[in-house]
Amino acid sequence: MASKRNAWVSRIAIAVVVVAVAVVYFAVPSVNSFVNDLCRRFSTGDFAEMRDFMVSYGAWAAVVSFALMIFQSVAAPLPAFILTFANANLFGWWQGAILSWTSAMAGAAACFWIARSLGREAVEKLCSKTGLATIERCFERHGDQSVLIVRLLPFVSFDFVSYFAGLTSMPFKGFMVATGIGQLPATIVYSYVGGMLTGGTKMLVTALLILFALAALAVLARQLYREHASRVKEGADAAPVLRQPCRQRSGGSRAVGPDGDR
């Protein structure tokens, strides 16, 4: 009974927050302009745009970056690696990596609990039925490995995975552990490269993304091959042994005695 009450309280609280944010966005011109400008900066794919945006807040730059990571996780399915590059370029690669990793964990946790509180219908509105169905098939095939694979693919929304995980029976602790481990390697590499990037290194960024995509596809291809081989082996082991049919004479069958006499 208490769990149902808590679920309803969570749903009401989230609904109130969503409505309040929507009202502020449409009713306050400055907020509307701020959000639209932020989405425009994200959509450019230029980490320098995000770095300059954070620099404009001075000492609050790290707080703004943390909030932006949660924002892009919950409300805007945009590439988080842009923020990771910007953090590393602004704060240094290892400080930026810590900031990006912790803020991404917070964003993933927010998506998880929104999905767990509001259910699939609400998640489909936040994501899309097609995108959610794709992640669902990935989970059916690879289970927890989906977190690792999708995190390595910059063109697949990791946020969709967080939302879908909240719809499953996966415990929150297990989800956070898998999320933390899965995103750590990519965060470190993105941060290390981001710390060295300048405005004229788009080819390097492109090459890096392609490298990660190929690595993830290799992991996926290997997993699919192993699953196919396992199914083939199980099918061969389970194949029924054909029994030879008894041949009968036209005159009918007679009992066979212990010595083989009819």
Side-chain angles (χ1 to χ4, degrees):
M1 189 70 178
S3 60
K4 291 183 178 180
R5 187 183 301 112
N6 292 336
W8 274 108
V9 170
S10 298
R11 292 181 180 182
I12 293 172
I14 293 174
V16 170
V17 171
V18 170
V19 171
V21 170
V23 170
V24 171
Y25 172 75
F26 288 107
V28 182
S30 59
V31 174
N32 185 284
S33 176
F34 170 81
V35 174
N36 290 341
D37 178 60
L38 185 61
C39 292
R40 180 191 63 79
R41 290 175 183 268
F42 263 114
S43 63
T44 61
D46 187 357
F47 77 95
E49 288 271 352
M50 298 307 303
R51 180 197 59 202
D52 295 341
F53 179 82
M54 291 186 291
V55 167
S56 67
Y57 286 87
W60 292 92
V63 176
V64 171
S65 173
F66 198 98
L68 287 178
M69 186 69 81
I70 297 177
F71 169 75
Q72 74 81 28
S73 297
V74 174
L78 300 167
F81 68 87
I82 295 176
L83 271 174
T84 305
F85 285 150
N87 287 337
N89 203 258
L90 181 58
F91 302 107
W93 84 265
W94 68 268
Q95 297 98 325
I98 293 174
L99 176 60
S100 298
W101 187 81
T102 53
S103 57
M105 291 284 286
C111 294
F112 182 93
W113 282 113
I114 288 174
R116 183 142 295 185
S117 300
L118 300 183
R120 188 181 185 108
E121 184 176 350
V123 170
E124 288 178 347
K125 294 179 180 179
L126 288 169
C127 305
S128 68
K129 289 186 178 181
T130 303
L132 205 62
T134 301
I135 300 300
E136 185 172 9
R137 288 193 295 270
C138 187
F139 259 82
E140 289 174 353
R141 290 185 176 182
H142 310 292
D144 291 345
Q145 289 189 7
S146 303
V147 177
L148 302 175
I149 295 172
V150 175
R151 188 58 180 176
L152 287 172
L153 294 171
F155 47 81
V156 177
S157 176
F158 184 67
D159 309 326
F160 285 6
V161 175
S162 301
Y163 278 122
F164 183 78
L167 300 177
T168 68
S169 59
M170 179 184 296
F172 178 69
K173 181 178 179 180
F175 166 75
M176 291 301 288
V177 170
T179 299
I181 295 174
Q183 73 177 0
L184 187 59
T187 300
I188 292 175
V189 174
Y190 286 157
S191 299
Y192 184 76
V193 175
M196 300 183 295
L197 288 179
T198 61
T201 56
K202 291 185 177 179
M203 289 300 295
L204 177 59
V205 177
T206 302
L208 180 65
L209 298 182
I210 293 175
L211 177 63
F212 269 95
L214 291 176
L217 289 175
V219 173
L220 179 59
R222 179 174 178 271
Q223 181 67 19
L224 291 174
Y225 174 79
R226 292 180 63 180
E227 290 178 359
H228 175 71
S230 177
R231 288 195 296 267
V232 170
K233 183 178 179 181
E234 290 175 0
D237 293 340
V241 178
L242 297 178
R243 299 179 62 184
Q244 294 294 332
C246 297
R247 290 180 296 176
Q248 297 182 351
R249 297 180 181 178
S250 58
S253 59
R254 293 183 298 173
V256 180
D259 296 329
D261 297 333
R262 294 185 182 274

